[in-house]
Protein backbone atom coordinates (compact mmCIF):
# COMPACT_ATOMS: atom_id res chain seq x y z
CA UNK A 1 0.00 0.00 0.00
CA UNK A 2 1.51 3.31 -1.03
CA UNK A 3 1.19 6.39 1.09
CA UNK A 4 -1.72 8.64 0.32
CA UNK A 5 -1.51 12.21 -0.93
CA UNK A 6 -3.76 14.61 0.88
CA UNK A 7 -5.66 17.43 -0.90
CA UNK A 8 -3.13 19.98 0.37
CA UNK A 9 -0.27 17.98 -1.17
CA UNK A 10 0.98 16.40 2.07
CA UNK A 11 2.28 12.86 1.94
CA UNK A 12 0.04 10.63 3.97
CA UNK A 13 0.72 7.84 6.41
CA UNK A 14 1.91 4.43 5.26
CA UNK A 15 0.36 1.63 7.33
CA UNK A 16 3.41 -0.69 7.58
CA UNK A 17 5.49 2.24 8.89
CA UNK A 18 2.98 3.45 11.50
CA UNK A 19 3.92 2.39 15.03
CA UNK A 20 1.77 1.67 18.09
CA UNK A 21 3.07 1.98 21.66
CA UNK A 22 1.61 1.29 25.07
CA UNK A 23 0.80 -1.39 27.64
CA UNK A 24 -2.74 -1.81 26.27
CA UNK A 25 -1.25 -3.54 23.21
CA UNK A 26 -0.23 -6.41 25.52
CA UNK A 27 -2.65 -6.37 28.44
CA UNK A 28 -6.13 -5.02 29.12
CA UNK A 29 -8.18 -4.33 32.19
CA UNK A 30 -11.74 -5.30 33.07
CA UNK A 31 -11.85 -2.29 35.41
CA UNK A 32 -10.60 0.65 33.32
CA UNK A 33 -10.29 1.85 29.73
CA UNK A 34 -7.15 0.66 27.96
CA UNK A 35 -5.17 3.26 26.00
CA UNK A 36 -2.33 3.17 23.49
CA UNK A 37 -0.72 5.62 21.06
CA UNK A 38 -0.31 5.31 17.28
CA UNK A 39 2.54 7.28 15.69
CA UNK A 40 1.86 8.08 12.03
CA UNK A 41 4.80 7.59 9.63
CA UNK A 42 5.16 8.09 5.88
CA UNK A 43 6.44 5.45 3.45
CA UNK A 44 10.05 6.46 4.23
CA UNK A 45 9.41 5.88 7.95
CA UNK A 46 9.54 9.60 8.77
CA UNK A 47 7.20 10.91 11.48
CA UNK A 48 4.18 12.84 10.28
CA UNK A 49 3.81 15.99 12.37
CA UNK A 50 0.19 16.85 11.58
CA UNK A 51 -3.18 15.22 12.07
CA UNK A 52 -5.79 14.12 9.59
CA UNK A 53 -5.14 10.39 9.28
CA UNK A 54 -7.90 7.88 10.00
CA UNK A 55 -7.25 4.84 12.17
CA UNK A 56 -9.64 2.04 13.09
CA UNK A 57 -9.35 -0.79 15.57
CA UNK A 58 -11.21 -3.81 16.84
CA UNK A 59 -10.62 -6.13 19.79
CA UNK A 60 -11.60 -9.70 18.83
CA UNK A 61 -12.01 -12.22 21.64
CA UNK A 62 -10.36 -15.63 21.67
CA UNK A 63 -12.79 -17.96 23.46
CA UNK A 64 -10.40 -20.89 23.15
CA UNK A 65 -8.07 -19.06 25.54
CA UNK A 66 -10.43 -19.25 28.51
CA UNK A 67 -9.00 -18.35 31.93
CA UNK A 68 -9.43 -21.88 33.29
CA UNK A 69 -8.07 -25.23 32.20
CA UNK A 70 -10.20 -27.95 30.59
CA UNK A 71 -10.62 -29.96 33.81
CA UNK A 72 -12.09 -26.90 35.54
CA UNK A 73 -14.40 -26.24 32.61
CA UNK A 74 -15.78 -29.77 32.72
CA UNK A 75 -16.51 -29.77 36.45
CA UNK A 76 -17.59 -26.15 36.84
CA UNK A 77 -20.85 -24.77 35.48
CA UNK A 78 -20.32 -21.34 33.92
CA UNK A 79 -23.39 -19.12 33.74
CA UNK A 80 -24.31 -17.20 30.60
CA UNK A 81 -23.61 -17.57 26.89
CA UNK A 82 -20.06 -17.86 25.53
CA UNK A 83 -18.30 -14.57 24.86
CA UNK A 84 -18.56 -15.03 21.08
CA UNK A 85 -22.34 -15.01 21.38
CA UNK A 86 -22.35 -11.87 23.55
CA UNK A 87 -19.72 -9.94 21.54
CA UNK A 88 -19.75 -11.63 18.10
CA UNK A 89 -18.06 -8.69 16.36
CA UNK A 90 -15.63 -7.85 19.15
CA UNK A 91 -15.28 -4.36 20.56
CA UNK A 92 -14.45 -1.21 18.60
CA UNK A 93 -11.56 1.07 19.43
CA UNK A 94 -11.95 4.82 19.35
CA UNK A 95 -9.15 7.13 18.23
CA UNK A 96 -8.46 10.75 19.11
CA UNK A 97 -6.42 12.75 16.61
CA UNK A 98 -3.90 14.79 18.64
CA UNK A 99 -3.20 16.80 15.45
CA UNK A 100 0.56 16.26 15.72
CA UNK A 101 0.90 12.86 14.05
CA UNK A 102 -0.08 10.95 17.18
CA UNK A 103 -3.42 9.26 17.78
CA UNK A 104 -4.73 8.03 21.12
CA UNK A 105 -6.44 4.64 20.80
CA UNK A 106 -8.87 3.48 23.47
CA UNK A 107 -10.95 0.36 24.08
CA UNK A 108 -12.89 -1.16 26.95
CA UNK A 109 -12.51 -4.88 27.65
CA UNK A 110 -16.07 -5.85 28.65
CA UNK A 111 -16.49 -6.66 32.33
CA UNK A 112 -18.63 -9.70 31.46
CA UNK A 113 -16.27 -11.17 28.84
CA UNK A 114 -15.25 -14.58 30.19
CA UNK A 115 -11.99 -14.79 28.27
CA UNK A 116 -8.42 -13.97 29.16
CA UNK A 117 -7.07 -13.20 25.68
CA UNK A 118 -8.03 -11.20 22.64
CA UNK A 119 -6.50 -9.97 19.40
CA UNK A 120 -6.33 -6.22 18.76
CA UNK A 121 -6.38 -5.20 15.09
CA UNK A 122 -5.26 -1.63 14.29
CA UNK A 123 -5.68 -0.34 10.75
CA UNK A 124 -4.90 2.81 8.80
CA UNK A 125 -7.98 3.69 6.74
CA UNK A 126 -7.49 5.34 3.37
CA UNK A 127 -9.81 7.88 1.77
CA UNK A 128 -11.62 5.15 -0.19
CA UNK A 129 -12.25 3.14 3.00
CA UNK A 130 -9.56 0.50 2.40
CA UNK A 131 -7.90 -0.69 5.61
CA UNK A 132 -4.30 -1.86 6.10
CA UNK A 133 -2.73 -3.17 9.32
CA UNK A 134 -0.14 -0.95 10.94
CA UNK A 135 3.26 -2.33 11.98
CA UNK A 136 2.88 -5.20 14.47
CA UNK A 137 -0.90 -5.51 14.08
CA UNK A 138 -2.70 -7.61 15.07
CA UNK A 139 -1.53 -7.54 18.70
CA UNK A 140 -2.19 -10.37 21.18
CA UNK A 141 -3.79 -8.90 24.32
CA UNK A 142 -4.10 -10.64 27.70
CA UNK A 143 -6.70 -9.52 30.17
CA UNK A 144 -5.93 -9.00 33.82
CA UNK A 145 -7.51 -7.04 36.64
CA UNK A 146 -5.70 -3.76 35.97
CA UNK A 147 -2.98 -2.41 33.74
CA UNK A 148 0.56 -2.25 35.09
Amino acid sequence: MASTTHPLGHRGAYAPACIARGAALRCASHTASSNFVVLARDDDGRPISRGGECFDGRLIFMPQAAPCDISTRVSEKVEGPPVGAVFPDGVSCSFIDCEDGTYLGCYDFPKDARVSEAVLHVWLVSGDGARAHIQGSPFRVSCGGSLP
Side-chain angles (χ1 to χ4, degrees), residues 1-83:
M1 174 182 185
S3 64
T4 57
T5 302
H6 289 270
L8 299 176
H10 304 127
R11 286 178 62 183
Y14 179 62
C18 294
I19 302 168
R21 298 280 188 252
L25 299 171
R26 295 179 311 281
C27 58
S29 170
H30 280 300
T31 60
S33 291
S34 300
N35 301 301
F36 60 94
V37 174
V38 175
L39 308 170
R41 301 281 192 261
D42 67 16
D43 57 352
D44 290 326
R46 293 183 299 229
I48 294 177
S49 59
R50 57 168 172 66
E53 302 297 339
C54 182
F55 290 92
D56 188 18
R58 183 159 297 280
L59 190 68
I60 306 295
F61 301 105
M62 298 171 54
Q64 71 276 15
C68 54
D69 66 26
I70 190 69
S71 61
T72 305
R73 279 187 243 143
V74 170
S75 64
E76 185 178 308
K77 182 176 169 131
V78 178
E79 296 298 323
V83 71

Side-chain angles (χ1 to χ4, degrees), residues 61-114:
F61 301 105
M62 298 171 54
Q64 71 276 15
C68 54
D69 66 26
I70 190 69
S71 61
T72 305
R73 279 187 243 143
V74 170
S75 64
E76 185 178 308
K77 182 176 169 131
V78 178
E79 296 298 323
V83 71
V86 179
F87 307 100
D89 298 323
V91 173
S92 292
C93 295
S94 59
F95 288 87
I96 297 171
D97 184 345
C98 298
E99 299 183 10
D100 62 357
T102 63
Y103 299 79
L104 178 64
C106 179
Y107 64 85
D108 291 312
F109 204 105
K111 291 176 179 56
D112 52 350
R114 293 185 335 253

